[in-house]
């Protein structure tokens, strides 16, 4: 059975986004038997209440990645990433923008972006249409310099078009993807049943100078997906040498024990 939606005291989006970052940590460096930090430490690192931490851990348990222990959750499996494509919004429909928020980068996100922990970052989120007729929930993160350029352009079109309009043209796109079940929050936003199979992906867009421009967590309705590179990333191809969320550094500070 799918994990119930968090109570009204928990923002479902906070639990989902924390789940995404912890999932990246588990995928990047976690091994069966490793421990995640305890609830108190996760609260401090990610700036969320205990209820959101518990909801996020519950989503990972439902996915079969974690098992609760006496002091912390233990990893029992790592996410499976068989593919290198992702569903991203196209220019055929204006996305439904949900949020633009400034945050201080926690350890997983900071390593992924290549910035110090606590660096101010921009988080944007939208639901957009894919070329195949499906829908994709997109959560994007940018560090300070790229965020300032993005915020200077109109925020109405697809994210990758906004990047192009801001002059942020990636040279490489590193992506990994695999099947994930739809949690209740994502399911409601995408218009699918809770537990329905989605294409889950993490994408890294890197500039000519090797610096990361933006990183993204994508959850796409499997009825339609498109290649990872869109608009401003048209020249970018999935590249195993690019800095991706699968690098071990993306979870170096997250696991508390083996």
């Amino acid at each position: 059975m799918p994990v119930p939606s968090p109570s009204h005291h928990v923002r479902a989006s906070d639990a989902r986004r924390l789940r995404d970052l912890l999932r990246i940590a588990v995928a990047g460096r976690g091994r069966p038997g490793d421990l995640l930090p305890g609830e108190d430490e996760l609260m401090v690192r990610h700036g969320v209440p205990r209820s959101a931490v518990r909801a996020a851990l519950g989503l990972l348990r439902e996915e079969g990645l974690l098992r609760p222990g006496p002091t912390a959750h233990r990893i029992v499996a790592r996410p499976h990433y068989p593919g290198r494509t992702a569903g991203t919004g196209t220019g055929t429909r204006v996305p439904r923008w949900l949020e633009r928020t400034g945050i201080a980068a926690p350890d997983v996100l900071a390593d992924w972006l290549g910035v110090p922990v606590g660096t101010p970052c921009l988080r944007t989120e939208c639901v957009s249409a894919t070329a195949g007729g499906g829908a994709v929930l997109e959560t994007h993160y940018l560090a300070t310099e790229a965020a300032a350029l993005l915020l200077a352009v109109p925020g109405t079109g697809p994210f990758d078009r906004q990047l192009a309009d801001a002059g942020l043209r990636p040279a490489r796109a590193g992506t990994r993807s695999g099947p994930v079940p739809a949690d209740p929050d994502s399911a409601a936003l995408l218009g699918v049943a809770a537990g329905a199979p989605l294409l889950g992906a993490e994408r890294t867009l890197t500039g000519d100078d090797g610096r990361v421009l933006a990183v993204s967590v994508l959850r796409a309705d499997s009825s339609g997906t498109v290649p990872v590179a869109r608009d401003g990333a048209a020249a970018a191809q999935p590249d195993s040498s690019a800095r991706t969320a699968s690098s071990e550094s993306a979870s170096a500070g997250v696991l508390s024990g083996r």
Side-chain angles (χ1 to χ4, degrees):
M1 296 289 292
V3 173
S5 297
S7 74
H8 66 279
H9 298 294
V10 182
R11 286 212 327 160
S13 57
D14 287 341
R16 170 171 48 78
R17 285 190 290 257
L18 176 56
R19 181 274 316 275
D20 292 341
L21 291 177
L22 293 179
R23 192 177 194 273
I24 288 167
V26 170
R29 193 183 176 114
R31 302 172 185 171
D34 288 351
L35 290 174
L36 289 182
E39 290 181 2
D40 290 344
E41 187 172 349
L42 290 174
M43 289 168 57
V44 172
R45 289 189 184 192
H46 294 272
V48 295
R50 187 180 304 276
S51 53
V53 170
R54 289 179 172 175
L57 293 172
L59 292 171
L60 290 170
R61 288 198 307 271
E62 177 65 22
E63 199 175 331
L65 303 181
L66 300 181
R67 183 178 66 235
T71 60
H73 276 68
R74 189 173 298 278
I75 297 170
V76 294
R78 296 175 67 179
H80 181 48
Y81 291 101
R84 290 188 177 276
T85 59
T88 54
T90 71
T92 59
R93 188 181 304 171
V94 175
R96 177 160 67 98
W97 286 94
L98 305 173
E99 189 170 11
R100 278 189 168 192
T101 308
I103 65 169
D107 47 9
V108 183
L109 180 59
D111 284 337
W112 193 5
L113 284 167
V115 299
V117 173
T119 295
C121 296
L122 174 68
R123 178 177 64 211
T124 74
E125 192 165 52
C126 68
V127 176
S128 56
T130 66
V136 56
L137 173 61
E138 308 179 24
T139 306
H140 306 283
Y141 299 93
L142 301 89
T144 309
E145 184 177 341
L149 294 172
L150 186 76
L151 290 172
V153 303
T156 55
F159 177 77
D160 288 350
R161 179 176 296 175
Q162 291 183 39
L163 286 181
D165 291 344
L168 299 169
R169 298 183 179 274
R172 293 182 300 280
T175 306
R176 64 182 186 182
S177 62
V180 295
D183 62 87
D185 186 37
S186 299
L189 290 167
L190 294 173
V192 300
L198 299 177
L199 175 67
E202 287 117 34
R203 180 183 75 165
T204 306
L205 299 180
T206 308
D208 284 325
D209 58 1
R211 289 192 297 177
V212 176
L213 300 177
V215 298
S216 309
V217 177
L218 309 169
R219 295 288 181 265
D221 175 5
S222 58
S223 64
T225 59
V226 293
V228 61
R230 307 296 309 171
D231 299 318
Q237 298 295 326
D239 181 357
S240 60
S241 66
R243 180 190 177 100
T244 71
S246 61
S247 68
E248 289 197 354
S249 65
S251 59
V254 177
L255 302 175
S256 61
R258 290 187 174 85

